[in-house]
């Protein structure tokens, strides 16, 4: 089950397709939480490189730092130390507002608990990144509808989240994550709150998106889910334990 | 621009989504603004009244008195010193009338309070303001006749026992009867009614119609002439006013044998002095009012701040999500500021409208006058807007500073 540990002192180019430009280059990333006198090393010297069009699964036991890694890569959180380059830009040096813009343009995030706005229709939820990207209303609507169509929910555009099933909600969330054509799709246990059949639908959607050229990072507990990706990164105690292509 | 519109939209939805809370908040703001506006317009109304009625009518009139009672309020020492001043006598009045070249009218005045009784059927009225006067008072004071005539020089010279009575006196003593020619008993003597004054409007709840004017000579003949009188002087024109004042002062100083270095031992009171005093009093009221208003606004602001803090806490996850999707700090700040400013401004506008309605009702159903000034509307709006921004700023900036991960993690 455990693959041989990859070298951790340098970015591991092991699985990156040769010649493809790196979307993610993380160098010696650490994240330390201070809890009173105690220090929690949620990320401990993590180096990682992910190329364009890759589909990578991040696996590891609970509390190993998977979510922390995703949040740092998604610019939702800042590392305590280390460098993070996203599409050739050093993110760790950016201001708060520049980060907001990166999150808006470069990153689509899918959460385990969906995080849709309860009072808004599916369409409005999908439009939201475009609002903050200052896209005109008619174009917003057209693009949001197109994305809803791609996830098979064009008929549900005017439904509120509580009128949708869990799987449908997650598909709305995926449509929202993709609507601004991000360079990177991050999904932290996107099937964690769904039953296995609905979960499978979501995974099939992700497979399809990968086939269309999206770069995808997926956190999961489920080895079966992990096998769908082309490459698996195993995390334990905040360190990368192994990093290898699947089969 | 698009993000700003979104901010406004979110804010309005937030307000609409919490109808009860928003309504209660609005109510607080409305009540605060309403009471402020109502009080300010009534105070304004009083000010207007004082300026027009009291000062306007007697603009070029001054009064010679033994002491100036207003000094009790403004300068107690001067007042106490003036208690030793000699009496102002009928002779002083006559001297002023004879010697002044810049006076148009000069009239003596001595009032006392007394009870009047209709001889005809014994109806009576108590505490009537009885003003002993000369014949020139109609030129000095604005007193219109309803019927009959004013006092004449002959009434004064012959000490005739005649009265010109106020409208309320006429109504009380002679309901349904023509008062002219009727006899009125004043402390045992019979006076004849020769005129009735037109009704004057009430001011500050005071009925200004319970008075009667009679010849000062008759008043003195009945009650004795040992007390000081005052003399009202109307200058020929407003331009002569200062000179007329000087002329009267010189005449009085000569009559009292004062040397150049002695201070005046009499008092010349002008409407301006009264106005100055009123300004002192009303600015005192205004200062107090501003204090009360500030407290009200701070309390209202704290309520707004509290409501906004709840609103921010409630929507922490929403804020985290919006930031995760690319909302900048400024947009989150704006969204919550719009919410608080909308609450205060809507409350403010409604409060202003209701406040003026309240002031109007007070004006209609009570003796208090009122006036609506545009500046008070404008400043109320500006203040309300500022309160919304100021007290919304802290909750809004708290929301804007949230880290996306932490905000999303919260339940
Ligand atoms: N805000 C925080 N403050 C303190 N410690 C934290 C914080 N967030 C995470 N941690 C700690 O960091 C470590 C990694 O947490 P993380 O959420 O990344 O784990 P995970 O791999 O996603 O776990 P799971 O599979 O249960 O989701 C854990 O030990 C956790 O307790
Ligand atoms: Mg996790």
């Amino acid at each position: 089950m455990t693959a041989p540990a990859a070298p951790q002192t340098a970015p591991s180019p092991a699985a990156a397709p040769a010649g493809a430009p790196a979307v993610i280059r993380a160098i010696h990333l650490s994240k330390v939480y201070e809890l009173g006198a105690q220090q929690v090393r949620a990320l401990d010297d993590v180096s990682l490189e992910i190329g364009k069009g890759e589909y990578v699964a991040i696996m590891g036991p609970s509390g190993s730092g998977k979510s922390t890694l995703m949040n740092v890569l998604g610019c939702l959180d800042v590392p305590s130390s280390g460098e993070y380059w996203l599409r050739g830009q050093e993110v760790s040096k950016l201001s708060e507002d520049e980060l907001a813009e990166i999150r808006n343009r470069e990153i689509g995030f899918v959460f385990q608990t969906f995080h849709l706005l309860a009072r808004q229709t599916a369409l409005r939820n999908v439009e939201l990144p475009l609002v903050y990207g200052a896209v005109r209303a008619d174009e917003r609507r057209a693009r949001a509808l197109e994305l809803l169509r791609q996830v098979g929910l064009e008929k549900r555009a005017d439904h509120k989240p509580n009128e949708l099933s869990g799987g449908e909600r997650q598909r709305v969330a995926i449509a929202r994550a993709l609507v601004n054509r991000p360079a990177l799709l991050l999904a932290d246990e996107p099937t964690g709150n769904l039953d296995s059949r609905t979960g499978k639908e979501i995974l099939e959607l992700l497979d399809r998106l990968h086939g269309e050229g999206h770069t995808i990072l997926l956190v999961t507990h489920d080895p079966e889910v992990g096998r769908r990706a082309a490459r698996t990164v195993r995390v334990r105690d905040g360190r990368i334990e192994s990093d290898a292509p699947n089969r | 621009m698009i993000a700003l519109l979104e901010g406004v939209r979110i804010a309005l939805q937030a307000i609409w989504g919490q109808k009860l809370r928003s309504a209660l908040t609005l109510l607080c703001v409305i009540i605060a603004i309403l009471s402020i506006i109502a009080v300010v317009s009534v105070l304004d109304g009083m000010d207007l009244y004082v300026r027009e009625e009291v000062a306007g009518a007697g603009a070029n009139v001054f009064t010679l008195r033994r002491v100036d009672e207003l000094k009790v309020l403004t300068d107690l020492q001067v007042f106490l010193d003036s208690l030793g001043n000699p009496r102002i006598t009928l002779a002083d009045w006559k001297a002023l009338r004879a010697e002044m070249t810049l006076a148009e009218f000069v009239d003596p005045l001595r009032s006392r309070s007394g009870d009047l009784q209709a001889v005809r059927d014994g109806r009576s009225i108590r505490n009537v303001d009885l003003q002993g006067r000369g014949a020139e008072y109609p030129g000095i004071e604005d007193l219109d006749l309803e019927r009959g005539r004013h006092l004449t020089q002959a009434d004064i010279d012959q000490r005739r026992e005649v009265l010109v009575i106020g409208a309320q006196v006429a109504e009380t003593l002679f309901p349904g009867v023509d008062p002219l020619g009727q006899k009125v008993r004043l402390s045992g003597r019979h006076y004849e009614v020769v005129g009735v004054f037109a009704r004057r409007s009430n001011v500050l709840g005071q009925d200004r119609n319970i008075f009667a004017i009679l010849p000062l000579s008759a008043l003195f003949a009945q009650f004795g002439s040992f007390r000081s009188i005052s003399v009202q002087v109307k200058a020929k024109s407003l331009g002569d006013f200062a000179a007329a004042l000087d002329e009267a002062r010189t005449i009085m100083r000569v009559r009292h044998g004062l040397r150049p270095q002695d201070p005046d031992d009499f008092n010349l009171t002008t409407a301006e002095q009264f106005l100055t005093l009123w300004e002192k009093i009303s600015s005192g009221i205004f200062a107090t009012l501003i204090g009360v208003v500030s407290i009200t606004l701070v309390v209202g602001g704290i309520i707004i701040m509290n409501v906004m803090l709840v609103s921010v806490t409630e929507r922490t996850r929403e804020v985290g999500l919006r930031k995760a999707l690319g909302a900048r700090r400024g947009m989150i700040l704006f969204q919550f500021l719009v919410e608080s400013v909308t609450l205060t401004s809507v409350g403010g506008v409604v409060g202003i409208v209701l406040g003026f309605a309240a002031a109007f009702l007070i004006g209609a159903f009570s003796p208090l006058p009122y006036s609506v000034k545009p500046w008070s509307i404008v400043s109320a709006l500006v203040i309300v807007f500022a309160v919304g921004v100021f007290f919304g700023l802290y909750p809004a900036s708290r929301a804007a500073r949230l880290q996306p991960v932490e905000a999303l993690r919260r339940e």
Side-chain angles (χ1 to χ4, degrees):
Chain A
M1 182 153 166
T2 41
Q8 284 170 11
T9 45
S12 59
V23 175
I24 287 177
R25 240 167 80 89
I27 307 168
H28 303 309
L29 282 187
S30 292
K31 179 74 187 179
V32 181
Y33 290 107
E34 311 270 353
L35 291 175
Q38 206 184 342
Q39 276 195 349
V40 179
R41 290 201 155 264
L43 284 185
D44 191 0
D45 195 22
V46 169
S47 295
L48 184 67
E49 190 162 319
I50 291 172
K52 187 166 163 35
E54 278 202 83
Y55 188 177
V56 180
I58 297 181
M59 300 191 62
S62 187
S64 56
K66 306 183 295 294
S67 294
T68 308
L69 179 59
M70 288 296 264
N71 291 337
V72 170
L73 296 182
C75 299
L76 298 180
D77 206 349
V78 284
S80 310
S81 63
E83 283 175 34
Y84 174 29
W85 297 74
L86 180 67
R87 296 232 292 175
Q89 193 172 20
E90 187 170 3
V91 169
S92 24
K93 293 227 169 84
L94 296 180
S95 74
E96 168 102 14
D97 277 351
E98 286 165 332
L99 279 179
E101 193 158 331
I102 294 282
R103 289 194 290 265
N104 186 251
R105 299 200 183 287
E106 308 286 3
I107 291 163
F109 216 109
V110 178
F111 304 91
Q112 179 174 350
T113 50
F114 321 138
H115 284 318
L116 298 176
L117 293 182
R119 294 177 193 283
Q120 313 275 2
T121 62
L123 186 69
R124 282 278 303 159
N125 268 290
V126 176
E127 273 185 32
L128 215 48
L130 300 176
V131 168
Y132 292 118
V135 177
R136 283 199 352 262
D138 46 354
E139 194 188 338
R140 280 202 313 255
R141 198 183 148 77
R143 264 162 75 179
L145 275 175
E146 165 61 18
L147 261 296
L148 280 175
R149 199 188 57 71
Q150 284 181 28
V151 299
L153 285 177
E154 68 268 39
K155 293 213 177 74
R156 305 290 190 156
D158 294 325
H159 287 231
K160 300 243 170 97
N162 62 2
E163 298 158 354
L164 299 172
S165 74
E168 287 169 336
R169 284 182 213 182
Q170 196 58 298
R171 280 191 280 163
V172 171
I174 291 173
R176 179 181 67 191
L178 293 175
V179 75
N180 220 1
R181 303 185 188 118
L184 183 62
L185 181 65
L186 301 172
D188 190 351
E189 300 192 46
T191 59
N193 275 16
L194 302 174
D195 63 53
S196 57
R197 218 197 63 215
T198 334
K200 216 170 135 214
E201 279 172 32
I202 297 296
L203 293 168
E204 276 160 9
L205 178 57
L206 290 179
D207 285 350
R208 209 187 78 211
L209 292 170
H210 176 230
E212 289 168 5
H214 285 277
T215 310
I216 301 175
L217 239 74
L218 172 83
V219 167
T220 183
H221 276 121
D222 187 344
E224 202 171 324
V225 173
R227 266 195 289 283
R228 288 175 172 265
R231 169 180 166 195
T232 302
V233 174
R234 288 183 189 282
V235 182
R236 181 182 290 276
D237 296 335
R239 293 171 163 269
I240 292 185
E241 187 182 52
S242 72
D243 181 354
N246 287 342
R247 244 159 296 140
Chain B
M1 186 59 209
I2 286 165
L4 293 192
L5 275 179
E6 173 75 5
V8 172
R9 184 180 168 150
I10 300 165
L12 296 184
Q13 275 174 351
I15 292 172
W16 194 245
Q18 289 286 347
K19 290 191 192 60
L20 181 64
R21 186 205 295 165
S22 303
L24 290 177
T25 315
L26 280 179
L27 200 63
C28 289
V29 177
I30 289 171
I31 291 174
I33 298 297
L34 184 157
S35 41
I36 292 167
I37 292 285
V39 173
V40 166
S41 22
V42 167
L43 207 66
D44 253 9
M46 278 165 61
D47 195 54
L48 210 65
Y49 164 77
V50 168
R51 276 159 206 287
E52 279 182 1
E53 205 82 346
V54 180
N60 54 348
V61 173
F62 61 88
T63 306
L64 168 68
R65 307 167 201 263
R66 191 172 71 90
V67 295
D68 179 7
E69 289 88 354
L70 288 182
K71 280 284 190 294
V72 172
L73 298 172
T74 55
D75 193 337
L76 189 62
Q77 193 53 48
V78 170
F79 173 75
L80 293 175
D81 290 347
S82 70
L83 288 177
N85 289 352
R87 293 193 298 138
I88 308 292
T89 63
L90 285 174
D92 291 325
W93 160 52
K94 283 175 181 147
L96 285 176
R97 195 158 70 148
E99 295 170 30
M100 280 192 73
T101 58
L102 297 171
E104 188 178 8
F105 298 108
V106 180
D107 204 58
L109 169 65
R110 169 83 229 171
S111 332
R112 56 173 294 141
S113 160
D115 304 337
L116 295 180
Q117 190 180 35
V119 171
R120 184 174 150 269
D121 58 1
R123 285 175 195 271
S124 69
I125 180 166
R126 300 176 61 83
N127 293 324
V128 179
D129 176 29
L130 300 168
Q131 304 177 6
R133 296 251 188 174
E136 293 182 7
Y137 69 87
I140 293 172
E141 259 191 80
D142 239 358
L143 288 167
D144 294 336
L145 281 176
E146 170 80 32
R147 54 205 316 164
R149 61 168 178 86
H150 285 297
L151 299 184
T152 63
Q153 194 58 46
D155 292 332
I156 313 297
D157 293 344
Q158 296 164 28
R159 292 184 199 164
R160 285 187 193 145
E161 295 180 327
V162 291
L163 284 174
V164 185
I165 58 178
Q168 190 55 43
V169 176
E171 203 168 282
T172 310
L173 296 183
F174 307 108
V177 182
D178 183 358
L180 292 187
Q182 293 287 347
K183 294 281 184 197
V184 171
R185 187 179 293 120
L186 166 61
S187 302
R189 297 238 198 167
H190 288 189
Y191 282 73
E192 182 184 337
V193 178
V194 295
V196 180
F197 290 112
R199 183 165 281 280
R200 299 198 287 186
S201 61
N202 290 2
V203 170
L204 306 177
Q206 216 172 3
D207 191 338
R208 296 191 302 153
N209 295 291
I210 308 180
F211 74 110
I213 292 184
L214 62 161
L216 182 59
S217 49
L219 189 79
F220 273 7
Q222 184 170 355
F223 297 102
S225 60
F226 48 86
R227 298 186 64 184
S228 184
I229 64 167
S230 53
V231 180
Q232 286 185 314
V233 179
K234 179 167 184 170
K236 284 203 166 115
S237 71
L238 214 49
D240 288 333
F241 186 71
L245 209 58
D246 273 348
E247 195 180 21
R249 172 170 289 121
T250 309
I251 293 170
M252 287 308 297
R253 288 183 68 90
V254 170
R255 287 184 59 78
H256 286 179
L258 296 178
R259 289 165 298 169
Q261 68 270 26
D262 292 335
D264 290 352
D265 59 356
F266 51 87
N267 218 286
L268 291 166
T269 318
T270 62
E272 199 179 326
Q273 291 170 344
F274 182 78
L275 263 192
T276 311
L277 177 66
W278 164 250
E279 267 161 17
K280 264 191 172 173
I281 295 174
S282 65
S283 67
I285 300 178
F286 244 97
T288 316
L289 191 72
I290 285 170
V292 172
V293 165
S294 316
I295 292 171
T296 313
L297 288 175
V298 168
V299 169
I302 290 171
I303 290 173
I304 291 285
M305 191 158 162
N306 208 21
V307 165
M308 291 310 300
L309 282 175
V310 171
S311 190
V312 167
T313 310
E314 229 169 36
R315 289 190 286 147
T316 300
R317 275 212 298 167
E318 180 191 324
V319 171
L321 177 71
R322 288 180 185 277
K323 294 195 92 173
L325 297 181
R328 292 152 173 258
R329 273 183 185 208
M331 297 169 185
I332 302 292
L333 195 71
F334 179 76
Q335 159 192 345
F336 284 98
L337 274 188
V338 169
E339 189 175 334
S340 71
V341 168
T342 304
L343 281 175
T344 52
S345 301
V346 169
V349 169
V350 176
I352 287 167
V353 170
L354 291 183
F356 284 130
F360 174 78
L361 288 179
I362 292 172
F365 293 104
S366 85
L368 292 170
Y370 85 101
S371 116
V372 172
K373 291 232 183 83
W375 71 261
S376 58
I377 302 180
V378 173
S379 54
L381 282 178
V382 169
I383 288 172
V384 146
F385 189 87
V387 166
V389 171
F390 184 80
F391 287 96
L393 208 53
Y394 172 68
S397 72
R398 238 172 74 151
R401 274 202 312 268
L402 284 170
Q403 281 291 323
V405 238
E406 278 167 39
L408 281 171
R409 221 195 316 265
R410 276 190 224 163
E411 279 314 309

mmCIF file of all heavy atoms in Angstrom, chain B residues 9-31:
data_model
loop_
_atom_site.group_PDB
_atom_site.id
_atom_site.type_symbol
_atom_site.label_atom_id
_atom_site.label_comp_id
_atom_site.label_asym_id
_atom_site.label_seq_id
_atom_site.Cartn_x
_atom_site.Cartn_y
_atom_site.Cartn_z
ATOM 1 N N ARG B 9 -27.075 45.106 -3.338
ATOM 2 C CA ARG B 9 -28.066 44.043 -3.429
ATOM 3 C C ARG B 9 -28.019 43.120 -2.213
ATOM 4 O O ARG B 9 -29.050 42.813 -1.603
ATOM 5 C CB ARG B 9 -27.769 43.275 -4.712
ATOM 6 C CG ARG B 9 -28.746 42.210 -5.012
ATOM 7 C CD ARG B 9 -28.308 41.548 -6.302
ATOM 8 N NE ARG B 9 -29.076 40.341 -6.449
ATOM 9 C CZ ARG B 9 -29.408 39.831 -7.619
ATOM 10 N NH1 ARG B 9 -29.032 40.413 -8.723
ATOM 11 N NH2 ARG B 9 -30.126 38.735 -7.675
ATOM 12 N N ILE B 10 -26.783 42.718 -1.846
ATOM 13 C CA ILE B 10 -26.626 41.837 -0.681
ATOM 14 C C ILE B 10 -27.157 42.529 0.569
ATOM 15 O O ILE B 10 -27.867 41.939 1.378
ATOM 16 C CB ILE B 10 -25.145 41.482 -0.449
ATOM 17 C CG1 ILE B 10 -24.564 40.775 -1.659
ATOM 18 C CG2 ILE B 10 -24.992 40.616 0.784
ATOM 19 C CD1 ILE B 10 -23.049 40.720 -1.637
ATOM 20 N N ALA B 11 -26.802 43.824 0.699
ATOM 21 C CA ALA B 11 -27.208 44.570 1.897
ATOM 22 C C ALA B 11 -28.728 44.613 2.011
ATOM 23 O O ALA B 11 -29.297 44.360 3.075
ATOM 24 C CB ALA B 11 -26.635 45.983 1.846
ATOM 25 N N LEU B 12 -29.383 44.928 0.889
ATOM 26 C CA LEU B 12 -30.841 45.035 0.929
ATOM 27 C C LEU B 12 -31.468 43.676 1.224
ATOM 28 O O LEU B 12 -32.434 43.584 1.986
ATOM 29 C CB LEU B 12 -31.368 45.599 -0.398
ATOM 30 C CG LEU B 12 -30.910 47.027 -0.687
ATOM 31 C CD1 LEU B 12 -31.550 47.557 -1.959
ATOM 32 C CD2 LEU B 12 -31.244 47.950 0.486
ATOM 33 N N GLN B 13 -30.877 42.619 0.636
ATOM 34 C CA GLN B 13 -31.413 41.283 0.914
ATOM 35 C C GLN B 13 -31.240 40.939 2.387
ATOM 36 O O GLN B 13 -32.113 40.326 2.997
ATOM 37 C CB GLN B 13 -30.708 40.243 0.054
ATOM 38 C CG GLN B 13 -31.336 40.126 -1.325
ATOM 39 C CD GLN B 13 -30.554 39.197 -2.227
ATOM 40 O OE1 GLN B 13 -29.465 38.760 -1.889
ATOM 41 N NE2 GLN B 13 -31.122 38.902 -3.387
ATOM 42 N N ALA B 14 -30.105 41.349 2.948
ATOM 43 C CA ALA B 14 -29.855 41.052 4.366
ATOM 44 C C ALA B 14 -30.890 41.755 5.240
ATOM 45 O O ALA B 14 -31.433 41.171 6.178
ATOM 46 C CB ALA B 14 -28.449 41.496 4.753
ATOM 47 N N ILE B 15 -31.180 43.011 4.892
ATOM 48 C CA ILE B 15 -32.168 43.765 5.670
ATOM 49 C C ILE B 15 -33.543 43.119 5.529
ATOM 50 O O ILE B 15 -34.264 42.913 6.494
ATOM 51 C CB ILE B 15 -32.203 45.231 5.199
ATOM 52 C CG1 ILE B 15 -30.892 45.916 5.572
ATOM 53 C CG2 ILE B 15 -33.381 45.964 5.803
ATOM 54 C CD1 ILE B 15 -30.750 47.296 4.989
ATOM 55 N N TRP B 16 -33.864 42.779 4.281
ATOM 56 C CA TRP B 16 -35.181 42.202 4.007
ATOM 57 C C TRP B 16 -35.297 40.816 4.628
ATOM 58 O O TRP B 16 -36.375 40.415 5.078
ATOM 59 C CB TRP B 16 -35.381 42.147 2.477
ATOM 60 C CG TRP B 16 -36.796 41.881 2.091
ATOM 61 C CD1 TRP B 16 -37.274 40.775 1.447
ATOM 62 C CD2 TRP B 16 -37.918 42.724 2.326
ATOM 63 N NE1 TRP B 16 -38.611 40.876 1.279
ATOM 64 C CE2 TRP B 16 -39.050 42.069 1.808
ATOM 65 C CE3 TRP B 16 -38.082 43.971 2.938
ATOM 66 C CZ2 TRP B 16 -40.319 42.610 1.869
ATOM 67 C CZ3 TRP B 16 -39.353 44.508 3.005
ATOM 68 C CH2 TRP B 16 -40.444 43.840 2.475
ATOM 69 N N GLY B 17 -34.177 40.111 4.658
ATOM 70 C CA GLY B 17 -34.198 38.745 5.178
ATOM 71 C C GLY B 17 -34.420 38.682 6.684
ATOM 72 O O GLY B 17 -34.807 37.653 7.216
ATOM 73 N N GLN B 18 -34.146 39.788 7.376
ATOM 74 C CA GLN B 18 -34.326 39.815 8.834
ATOM 75 C C GLN B 18 -35.344 40.887 9.161
ATOM 76 O O GLN B 18 -35.028 41.904 9.770
ATOM 77 C CB GLN B 18 -32.993 40.128 9.529
ATOM 78 C CG GLN B 18 -31.987 38.999 9.468
ATOM 79 C CD GLN B 18 -32.365 37.861 10.407
ATOM 80 O OE1 GLN B 18 -33.233 38.031 11.256
ATOM 81 N NE2 GLN B 18 -31.744 36.725 10.236
ATOM 82 N N LYS B 19 -36.587 40.644 8.753
ATOM 83 C CA LYS B 19 -37.576 41.719 8.807
ATOM 84 C C LYS B 19 -37.794 42.249 10.211
ATOM 85 O O LYS B 19 -37.817 43.459 10.427
ATOM 86 C CB LYS B 19 -38.902 41.231 8.223
ATOM 87 C CG LYS B 19 -38.843 41.025 6.733
ATOM 88 C CD LYS B 19 -40.226 40.798 6.152
ATOM 89 C CE LYS B 19 -40.163 40.310 4.724
ATOM 90 N NZ LYS B 19 -39.431 39.034 4.562
ATOM 91 N N LEU B 20 -37.932 41.346 11.165
ATOM 92 C CA LEU B 20 -38.257 41.790 12.516
ATOM 93 C C LEU B 20 -37.108 42.620 13.092
ATOM 94 O O LEU B 20 -37.307 43.716 13.613
ATOM 95 C CB LEU B 20 -38.541 40.588 13.418
ATOM 96 C CG LEU B 20 -38.927 40.978 14.857
ATOM 97 C CD1 LEU B 20 -40.238 41.747 14.870
ATOM 98 C CD2 LEU B 20 -39.020 39.761 15.746
ATOM 99 N N ARG B 21 -35.902 42.078 12.948
ATOM 100 C CA ARG B 21 -34.748 42.780 13.494
ATOM 101 C C ARG B 21 -34.586 44.143 12.831
ATOM 102 O O ARG B 21 -34.384 45.159 13.501
ATOM 103 C CB ARG B 21 -33.486 41.952 13.284
ATOM 104 C CG ARG B 21 -32.280 42.549 13.939
ATOM 105 C CD ARG B 21 -31.014 42.120 13.260
ATOM 106 N NE ARG B 21 -30.798 40.687 13.386
ATOM 107 C CZ ARG B 21 -29.929 40.026 12.636
ATOM 108 N NH1 ARG B 21 -29.221 40.650 11.736
ATOM 109 N NH2 ARG B 21 -29.792 38.733 12.779
ATOM 110 N N SER B 22 -34.727 44.161 11.499
ATOM 111 C CA SER B 22 -34.597 45.429 10.785
ATOM 112 C C SER B 22 -35.666 46.411 11.235
ATOM 113 O O SER B 22 -35.399 47.596 11.430
ATOM 114 C CB SER B 22 -34.708 45.198 9.280
ATOM 115 O OG SER B 22 -33.733 44.286 8.856
ATOM 116 N N ALA B 23 -36.889 45.896 11.415
ATOM 117 C CA ALA B 23 -37.987 46.779 11.813
ATOM 118 C C ALA B 23 -37.703 47.393 13.181
ATOM 119 O O ALA B 23 -37.907 48.595 13.387
ATOM 120 C CB ALA B 23 -39.301 45.998 11.832
ATOM 121 N N LEU B 24 -37.215 46.579 14.114
ATOM 122 C CA LEU B 24 -36.939 47.102 15.456
ATOM 123 C C LEU B 24 -35.817 48.135 15.418
ATOM 124 O O LEU B 24 -35.889 49.171 16.076
ATOM 125 C CB LEU B 24 -36.570 45.953 16.407
ATOM 126 C CG LEU B 24 -37.732 45.021 16.748
ATOM 127 C CD1 LEU B 24 -37.264 43.875 17.635
ATOM 128 C CD2 LEU B 24 -38.851 45.797 17.445
ATOM 129 N N THR B 25 -34.805 47.833 14.608
ATOM 130 C CA THR B 25 -33.704 48.791 14.488
ATOM 131 C C THR B 25 -34.210 50.102 13.913
ATOM 132 O O THR B 25 -33.913 51.183 14.403
ATOM 133 C CB THR B 25 -32.613 48.234 13.561
ATOM 134 O OG1 THR B 25 -32.386 46.884 13.903
ATOM 135 C CG2 THR B 25 -31.346 49.024 13.677
ATOM 136 N N LEU B 26 -35.008 49.973 12.846
ATOM 137 C CA LEU B 26 -35.584 51.169 12.231
ATOM 138 C C LEU B 26 -36.369 51.963 13.260
ATOM 139 O O LEU B 26 -36.266 53.185 13.332
ATOM 140 C CB LEU B 26 -36.510 50.777 11.075
ATOM 141 C CG LEU B 26 -35.816 50.445 9.763
ATOM 142 C CD1 LEU B 26 -36.820 50.039 8.710
ATOM 143 C CD2 LEU B 26 -35.027 51.656 9.291
ATOM 144 N N LEU B 27 -37.138 51.239 14.084
ATOM 145 C CA LEU B 27 -37.973 51.902 15.076
ATOM 146 C C LEU B 27 -37.117 52.758 16.019
ATOM 147 O O LEU B 27 -37.462 53.900 16.310
ATOM 148 C CB LEU B 27 -38.748 50.841 15.865
ATOM 149 C CG LEU B 27 -39.981 51.360 16.594
ATOM 150 C CD1 LEU B 27 -40.988 51.887 15.597
ATOM 151 C CD2 LEU B 27 -40.582 50.260 17.446
ATOM 152 N N CYS B 28 -36.003 52.185 16.474
ATOM 153 C CA CYS B 28 -35.105 52.938 17.359
ATOM 154 C C CYS B 28 -34.645 54.222 16.688
ATOM 155 O O CYS B 28 -34.718 55.309 17.265
ATOM 156 C CB CYS B 28 -33.867 52.111 17.704
ATOM 157 S SG CYS B 28 -34.230 50.753 18.787
ATOM 158 N N VAL B 29 -34.168 54.078 15.448
ATOM 159 C CA VAL B 29 -33.665 55.254 14.733
ATOM 160 C C VAL B 29 -34.790 56.264 14.538
ATOM 161 O O VAL B 29 -34.615 57.466 14.766
ATOM 162 C CB VAL B 29 -33.081 54.840 13.368
ATOM 163 C CG1 VAL B 29 -32.619 56.060 12.599
ATOM 164 C CG2 VAL B 29 -31.936 53.874 13.564
ATOM 165 N N ILE B 30 -35.963 55.746 14.161
ATOM 166 C CA ILE B 30 -37.093 56.640 13.901
ATOM 167 C C ILE B 30 -37.443 57.430 15.155
ATOM 168 O O ILE B 30 -37.605 58.651 15.117
ATOM 169 C CB ILE B 30 -38.319 55.835 13.404
ATOM 170 C CG1 ILE B 30 -38.055 55.328 11.987
ATOM 171 C CG2 ILE B 30 -39.581 56.688 13.451
ATOM 172 C CD1 ILE B 30 -39.095 54.358 11.485
ATOM 173 N N ILE B 31 -37.548 56.731 16.281
ATOM 174 C CA ILE B 31 -37.931 57.425 17.518
ATOM 175 C C ILE B 31 -36.896 58.482 17.880
ATOM 176 O O ILE B 31 -37.237 59.616 18.232
ATOM 177 C CB ILE B 31 -38.112 56.412 18.669
ATOM 178 C CG1 ILE B 31 -39.356 55.568 18.398
ATOM 179 C CG2 ILE B 31 -38.221 57.130 20.004
ATOM 180 C CD1 ILE B 31 -39.556 54.445 19.373
#
